[in-house]
Amino acid sequence: MDGWLLVAEVVTLAVLLALCYRPLGDHMARTYTTAEDTRVERGLYRVLGVDPDAEQSWRNYLRSVIVFSVVGVLALYLLQRIQAVLPYSLGLPAVPEGLSFNTAISFVTNTNWQSYSPETTLGYTVQLAGLAVQNFASAAVGLAVAIALARGLAASRSSTIGNFWVDLVRGVLRILLPLSVVAAVVLIAGGVIQDFSGFQTVHTLTDGTAVVPGGPVASQEAIKELGTNGGGFFNANSAHPFENPSGWTNLFEIFLLLVIPFSLPRTFGVIVGDTRQGRAVLGVMAVLFAVSLTAMALLESAGGGAATQAAGAAMEGKETRFGVLPSTLFATSTTLTSTGAVDASHDSLTPLGGLMAMVNMMLGELAPGGVGSGLYGLLVIAIVAVFLAGLMIGRTPSYLGKQVGAREVKLASLYILTTPVLVLTGLGLSFGIPALASSITGTSILNPGVHGFSEVLYAFTSAGNNNGSAFGGLTANTPWLNASLGAVMFLGRLLPIVFVLALAGSFAAQAPRPASEGSLPTHTPQFVVVVLGTVVLVSALTYFPVLALGPLAEGLHA
């Protein structure tokens, strides 16, 4: 029965995403290519001191991204530190320094890693003016960077790639905000709460009392999913009935976190003037998603040893109102995007099911990836695939008429290497330095041995890929993990953006070359296969050794 439910949900998702692909993709393309500004946008540009007609070079575009991100981190850090004197703080104290640092970086980088219980740590002002604002802002930054790369590929001998501030404002006002309002209304209709009731004492069925927190959940839940952010209003995230009450709201939330990333290939195709290119990108995303979902569903259905087989299902850590396979669909979607929201405990996935969640992130979260970041990440992989295919068959390495030379290959290679270096360095330091290793194994890891190693590996993988989900057995609110994970999140977000924008500038400066018999077509099924092979090859060679030490060893032992 669970299997048929999964099939029905996947078919429903596919139909809904297909219906949105063209209209939403075209709307996003118009948003970033029109020369017209609304009255509200012009007012914001005056406040920001921005000339909307002034184009930026890739270096100036990058400076704007960095300045905006750093200011966002400082503002969110300050907001948490002064929480005790803010209105609607619910009597909660200021957030400690280390945790404030980690949380500020987490939300600005679209990671939304939470090593605390939100409902008992943050008041409404910090939740709304801090976290919710960054949910919109960080998603808009990802969109802007992806559009900048598309512009670079479409441009001819241009020294500019757009205006970051215009892209930022339009992304929020024309895409994220309208969709979030509609999504929030639907979620409220589905039973997600939206109030300012604070903590209420209620009587239980056993004549006892319990303190139940309320809050403006639906409004934050909408952008949490749409912006592939993932940070929950409650510690249980989307497993909490106040955030995700029923099976159909669960499916709706999965739809929300997939709809923009799966529509962006259409946007890309429209901007570069060839929608076939967008369909090729979409094909890569769809195949990776289907393979990952199938693998995780089979692994979770098979159980993780004698205990789950005797129980009849691997239900530990999963909500009975969802079941095993719908929870698997959510876990696949949230780790193949940069969302990190959860409707089940990932720490309670079967060992090989947890392995698949890590692999999804280690692939670079490309299927379909985060809002914006999934598209530009896959385009970087496509550039590498073009270069490799050109070497193998003796054709000119070019993508959309732009030459893929030494500079472009170096930038793409640096992009690909950045996250593994950050993840493996953080992991190595955590276990390689005796003082740090003893602090982690002594206070942070609930489960010692191989699974404890997997918990730390998952944490750094999640941070480096700006995902935010976690194996819950790891206590991450420690000085070392707050600092190291914060650094990995910050560098894992900004360094790839540096290389993407440099690529955009490099391509924009070139004049497109007309296709010839020696050019490699990049819209065909054959090229889709080449890109898929490049994705798997890069990830397998990089991460297989460390996976063999953790979840793979645990799964084989089980």
Side-chain angles (χ1 to χ4, degrees), residues 5 8 66 103 105 174 202 270 299 301 315 317 336 341 343 351 376 378 391 415 432 469 484 519 524:
L5 176 59
I66 293 174
T103 303
I105 289 178
R174 301 193 189 189
V202 298
V270 172
L299 292 169
S301 297
M315 277 300 294
L336 278 173
D343 73 346
Y376 66 66
L378 192 51
L391 290 179
Y415 177 98
S469 62
S484 59
S519 301
T524 62

Side-chain angles (χ1 to χ4, degrees), residues 13-99:
L13 268 180
V15 170
L16 292 174
L17 292 172
L19 290 173
C20 293
Y21 175 72
R22 183 164 186 163
L24 180 56
D26 288 350
H27 170 69
M28 290 190 287
R30 287 192 300 271
T31 293
Y32 292 108
T33 55
T34 182
E36 298 179 359
D37 299 308
T38 67
R39 181 178 300 178
V40 174
E41 290 167 353
R42 289 193 295 271
L44 284 174
Y45 299 146
R46 284 194 293 270
V47 172
L48 295 171
V50 171
D51 179 3
D53 298 321
E55 296 268 313
Q56 293 178 307
S57 67
W58 76 265
R59 289 183 175 84
N60 287 335
Y61 201 103
L62 174 62
R63 289 190 191 99
S64 298
V65 172
I66 293 174
V67 168
F68 181 73
S69 299
V70 171
V71 170
V73 169
L74 294 175
L76 185 50
Y77 176 85
L78 177 62
L79 205 60
Q80 294 175 85
R81 295 294 294 143
I82 62 172
Q83 174 173 254
V85 299
L86 295 175
Y88 290 104
S89 66
L90 306 180
L92 296 171
V95 182
E97 294 178 0
L99 186 57

Side-chain angles (χ1 to χ4, degrees), residues 17 69 141 145 149 197 207 241 266-267 272 278 409 437 479 507 519 541:
L17 292 172
S69 299
V141 169
V145 174
L149 180 56
S197 62
D207 292 328
R266 171 73 183 187
T267 305
V272 300
V409 172
F507 285 130
S519 301
L541 291 177

Side-chain angles (χ1 to χ4, degrees), residues 162-205:
N163 186 309
F164 169 72
W165 304 105
V166 172
D167 293 340
L168 176 74
V169 169
R170 289 183 177 183
V172 172
L173 295 185
R174 301 193 189 189
I175 300 172
L176 297 171
L177 189 58
L179 290 177
S180 294
V181 170
V182 174
V185 171
V186 173
L187 289 171
I188 292 171
V192 179
I193 67 171
Q194 181 76 12
D195 58 46
F196 291 87
S197 62
F199 298 101
Q200 297 188 68
T201 301
V202 298
H203 293 280
T204 67
L205 296 175

Side-chain angles (χ1 to χ4, degrees), residues 105-117:
I105 289 178
S106 173
F107 277 78
V108 169
T109 58
N110 199 245
T111 311
N112 290 34
W113 173 271
Q114 294 174 293
S115 50
Y116 57 91
S117 296

Side-chain angles (χ1 to χ4, degrees), residues 78-397:
L78 177 62
L79 205 60
Q80 294 175 85
R81 295 294 294 143
I82 62 172
Q83 174 173 254
V85 299
L86 295 175
Y88 290 104
S89 66
L90 306 180
L92 296 171
V95 182
E97 294 178 0
L99 186 57
S100 293
F101 167 82
N102 183 279
T103 303
I105 289 178
S106 173
F107 277 78
V108 169
T109 58
N110 199 245
T111 311
N112 290 34
W113 173 271
Q114 294 174 293
S115 50
Y116 57 91
S117 296
E119 65 267 40
T120 58
T121 304
L122 302 176
Y124 295 159
T125 300
V126 176
Q127 289 270 19
L128 292 175
L131 306 191
V133 167
Q134 287 304 324
N135 282 346
F136 283 97
S138 62
V141 169
L143 281 171
V145 174
I147 296 302
L149 180 56
R151 285 198 195 105
L153 287 165
S156 177
R157 295 192 181 280
S158 174
S159 60
T160 61
I161 57 172
N163 186 309
F164 169 72
W165 304 105
V166 172
D167 293 340
L168 176 74
V169 169
R170 289 183 177 183
V172 172
L173 295 185
R174 301 193 189 189
I175 300 172
L176 297 171
L177 189 58
L179 290 177
S180 294
V181 170
V182 174
V185 171
V186 173
L187 289 171
I188 292 171
V192 179
I193 67 171
Q194 181 76 12
D195 58 46
F196 291 87
S197 62
F199 298 101
Q200 297 188 68
T201 301
V202 298
H203 293 280
T204 67
L205 296 175
T206 58
D207 292 328
T209 59
V211 177
V212 178
V217 178
S219 56
Q220 187 156 321
E221 191 75 9
I223 186 57
K224 156 193 157 182
E225 309 295 8
L226 269 172
T228 60
N229 296 282
F233 197 93
F234 298 100
N235 191 39
N237 207 280
S238 290
H240 198 292
F242 287 178
E243 286 195 31
N244 190 7
S246 63
W248 79 262
T249 59
N250 191 59
L251 183 63
F252 181 64
E253 291 189 13
I254 296 172
F255 165 74
L256 290 178
L257 63 91
L258 294 175
V259 65
I260 292 178
F262 264 129
S263 298
L264 275 172
R266 171 73 183 187
T267 305
F268 168 69
V270 172
I271 290 176
V272 300
D274 186 353
T275 55
R276 297 176 303 171
Q277 303 293 337
R279 288 195 293 270
V281 171
L282 178 66
V284 176
M285 292 177 173
V287 170
L288 286 172
F289 186 93
V291 171
S292 175
L293 176 60
T294 301
M296 187 181 284
L298 291 173
L299 292 169
E300 285 297 298
S301 297
T308 54
Q309 291 171 5
M315 277 300 294
E316 178 187 294
K318 297 181 178 69
E319 290 294 308
T320 55
R321 68 183 186 278
F322 302 143
V324 173
L325 293 182
S327 298
T328 299
L329 176 58
F330 200 109
T332 299
S333 302
T334 197
T335 51
L336 278 173
T337 61
S338 66
T339 311
V342 296
D343 73 346
S345 171
H346 284 197
D347 204 17
S348 294
L349 294 172
T350 62
L352 295 181
L355 167 72
M356 280 307 304
M358 290 192 217
V359 168
N360 289 342
M361 294 184 285
M362 291 171 175
L363 288 175
E365 298 172 339
L366 304 172
V371 168
S373 61
L375 176 61
Y376 66 66
L378 192 51
L379 291 178
V380 170
I381 295 292
I383 290 164
V384 174
V386 163
F387 179 73
L388 294 177
L391 290 179
M392 289 188 290
I393 63 178
R395 292 192 176 184
T396 304

